[in-house]
Amino acid sequence: MAYFDAASAAPLHPVARQALLASLDEGWADPARLYREGRRARMLLDAAREAAAEAVGCRPDELVFTSSGTRAVHTGIAGALSGRGRIGRHLIVSAVEHSSVLHAAELHESAGGTVTRIAVDRAGLVDPSAYAAALRADTALACLQSANHEVGTEQPVPEVAEACRAAGVPLLVDAAQSLGWGPVEGGWSLLTASAHKWGGPSGVGLLAVRKGVRFAPQGPVDERESGRAPGFENIPAIVAAAASLRAVRAEAAEEAPRLRELTERIRVRVPQTVPDVEVVGDPVRRLPGVVTFSCLYVDGEALLHELDREGFSVSSGSSCTSSTLTPSHVLRAMGVLSEGNVRVSLPPGTAQEDVERFLTVLPGAVAAVREKLGAPVASEVAREADELVVDSLGKRCPIPVIELAKVIGDVPVGGLVRVLSDDEAARLDIPAWCAMRNQEYVGEEPADQGTAYLIRRVS
């Protein structure tokens, strides 16, 4: 089985396993106690904090361990907003942040705060000038991920950090996807990360808060972790997280170029061997091991099952998967095709042979799914009418687009196809289909049920 979903959770690094087992015998006691066992646990905790702080690029007393990356995000955002409450209640986030950031923003908004969401381009990249323009006198905090978890696009953190610094606004960086590859450049103020993203154990997050940042921890006061992360520290997991972070950093210089070559091979070969595919994400500014593409006329869940049967574990941002009825917020913000979406995220150590086998298997897997769904083929005979109405009400991704593709040849050049759909994915996938097939997307209008999407045949 080839595991290609490291962006969700990387396999446990051998160093993490060794450190975890060793510290189970040494780090079980309360590090706040003064007796021998407590002092031993405190030494392990302090050493882990120093190692993690060195990797992050901050002082040890600026870093605390939390119970997860999500908890680090929620604690960091809430603490920074509260600490700067006298300045104002305006928060800035990008439209492609991790759901933990966006959920925190929604909570802040529901409590009376204001939120500006910065748009991205089709590569998933923010424009630093948009952040600069969004900064206001009442801005309490800005948030920007270092790299996107779905498409791998790396964000211009140094430029945004400089704009925030000039305005006196702290910048929180979610570095969960990138920290294993290197420190985050730029003058960030707060940083969060999650150990299971770099091969550490799950249940360990990092929160770094620079000295001088106004920060007021929320919730009941706790003496643990400077009052910022309540509860007894999981010292064995923390030690394993710090040890594995140091290990993957030592391997990154050699492993990153190798994984970049493998993902570039996927980016180039997939459009050559699979018709009607859109590779998404920035082609240059991206994480070493992440590549994402979407396939027209494909049910994302069916494709994932097909690849799983062939021995490949991948993930999807499609709306047509069992876990969601709407397209990924990242793909939606980028305005790219969402149906048949596949994210390949290679863990360190991935064998070239596994990637080659994936590239061999993928065309057949996509073709099999398309055949089951009745996707259009070029030999179909067309009839002509000035305008056709396609009733796709009650049908889910990718059926509305499949039915559109089947009838586009039935109208003359300049003719219209009106697709009726109540599937949220159609709002994203129909314009994307038009861009890929060189047809004109006219727009949408209300219908008695759902929405009518208008497409004009150009070629």
Side-chain angles (χ1 to χ4, degrees):
M1 193 75 180
Y3 181 76
F4 286 178
D5 195 22
S8 293
L12 193 66
H13 194 283
V15 168
R17 184 182 302 276
Q18 295 168 6
L20 181 63
L21 293 175
S23 55
L24 284 172
D25 292 330
E26 297 291 330
W28 51 268
D30 187 345
R33 301 308 176 201
L34 299 180
Y35 43 69
R36 180 188 307 168
E37 293 86 355
R39 294 198 305 272
R40 187 180 300 144
R42 168 58 64 180
M43 289 176 62
L44 289 173
L45 180 59
D46 289 346
R49 196 185 314 279
E50 290 177 5
E54 181 182 6
V56 168
C58 66
R59 292 170 36 164
D61 59 354
E62 294 175 330
L63 185 143
V64 299
F65 295 105
T66 66
S67 58
S68 67
T70 293
R71 173 51 58 194
V73 166
H74 291 170
T75 300
I77 291 177
L81 288 173
S82 179
R84 288 174 51 82
R86 293 184 179 180
I87 302 295
R89 304 195 64 194
H90 178 229
L91 172 67
I92 303 174
V93 301
S94 85
V96 294
E97 294 299 308
H98 187 268
S99 58
S100 61
V101 174
L102 298 183
H103 291 160
E106 291 168 3
L107 181 64
H108 176 63
E109 208 166 26
S110 68
T114 57
V115 178
T116 297
R117 296 169 176 84
I118 304 298
V120 296
D121 62 18
R122 284 185 65 84
L125 198 65
V126 303
D127 184 346
S129 65
Y131 264 83
L135 293 166
R136 310 187 319 211
D138 65 337
T139 302
L141 179 67
C143 300
L144 178 63
Q145 61 193 192
S146 55
N148 187 261
H149 54 287
E150 287 195 33
V151 300
T153 298
E154 294 179 322
Q155 299 292 358
V157 171
E159 293 87 342
V160 172
E162 177 57 28
C164 290
R165 186 203 61 77
V169 173
L171 175 67
L172 183 148
V173 175
D174 170 17
Q177 289 296 339
S178 73
L179 192 61
W181 298 110
V184 177
E185 303 296 333
W188 50 266
S189 303
L190 302 94
L191 182 142
T192 63
S194 186
H196 74 276
K197 300 293 188 180
W198 65 68
S202 58
V204 179
L206 305 180
L207 169 62
V209 182
R210 297 280 198 197
K211 294 294 183 183
V213 175
R214 294 180 181 176
F215 192 89
Q218 299 302 286
V221 175
D222 192 290
E223 69 277 9
R224 306 282 177 173
E225 294 298 295
S226 304
R228 295 175 181 173
F232 197 98
E233 297 94 341
N234 186 348
I235 294 177
I238 288 171
V239 170
S244 57
L245 180 55
R246 175 176 286 179
V248 297
R249 279 289 189 82
E251 300 162 357
E254 180 178 345
E255 191 64 12
R258 196 181 72 84
L259 290 186
R260 286 191 187 279
E261 193 279 328
L262 292 177
T263 53
E264 184 62 25
R265 190 174 304 186
I266 297 172
R267 289 182 64 89
V268 172
R269 290 266 295 280
V270 167
Q272 293 174 347
T273 57
V274 181
D276 298 316
V277 163
E278 182 178 16
V279 180
V280 300
D282 195 286
V284 178
R285 295 181 61 129
R286 58 186 175 86
L287 292 168
V290 178
V291 57
T292 306
F293 55 88
S294 299
C295 310
L296 276 176
Y297 320 132
V298 169
D299 180 306
E301 184 170 7
L303 181 55
L304 262 58
H305 285 316
E306 195 74 28
L307 291 170
D308 184 53
R309 281 193 291 270
E310 294 287 349
F312 295 97
S313 301
V314 299
S315 65
S316 173
S318 292
S319 62
C320 39
T321 58
S322 59
S323 61
T324 179
L325 293 177
T326 59
S328 145
H329 72 276
V330 173
L331 302 179
R332 189 165 62 243
M334 294 167 61
V336 298
L337 182 70
S338 76
E339 67 184 49
N341 178 258
V342 173
R343 180 187 67 182
V344 174
S345 48
L346 307 177
T350 297
Q352 178 178 324
E353 294 76 14
D354 286 340
V355 171
E356 287 298 329
R357 190 167 68 85
F358 174 79
L359 291 169
T360 301
V361 164
L362 180 67
V366 173
V369 173
R370 284 174 172 167
E371 183 178 5
K372 292 176 184 176
L373 292 172
V377 295
S379 61
E380 291 180 347
V381 178
R383 58 182 175 77
E384 291 195 352
D386 290 334
E387 180 176 319
L388 288 178
V389 176
V390 175
D391 186 351
S392 290
L393 294 170
K395 300 176 181 177
R396 295 294 173 235
C397 158
I399 301 302
V401 174
I402 287 177
E403 294 185 345
L404 164 62
K406 284 184 173 181
V407 303
I408 190 68
D410 293 3
V411 298
V413 173
L416 287 176
V417 176
R418 186 183 302 269
V419 180
L420 302 178
S421 177
D422 53 5
D423 182 10
E424 180 63 26
R427 180 165 283 109
L428 180 62
D429 290 344
I430 288 177
W433 178 89
C434 292
M436 293 176 69
R437 303 312 295 267
N438 297 317
Q439 307 298 344
E440 180 186 354
Y441 177 65
V442 178
E444 64 178 72
E445 57 186 35
D448 291 339
Q449 297 182 60
T451 302
Y453 299 93
L454 278 63
I455 301 91
R456 177 174 286 110
R457 181 182 175 189
V458 175
S459 60

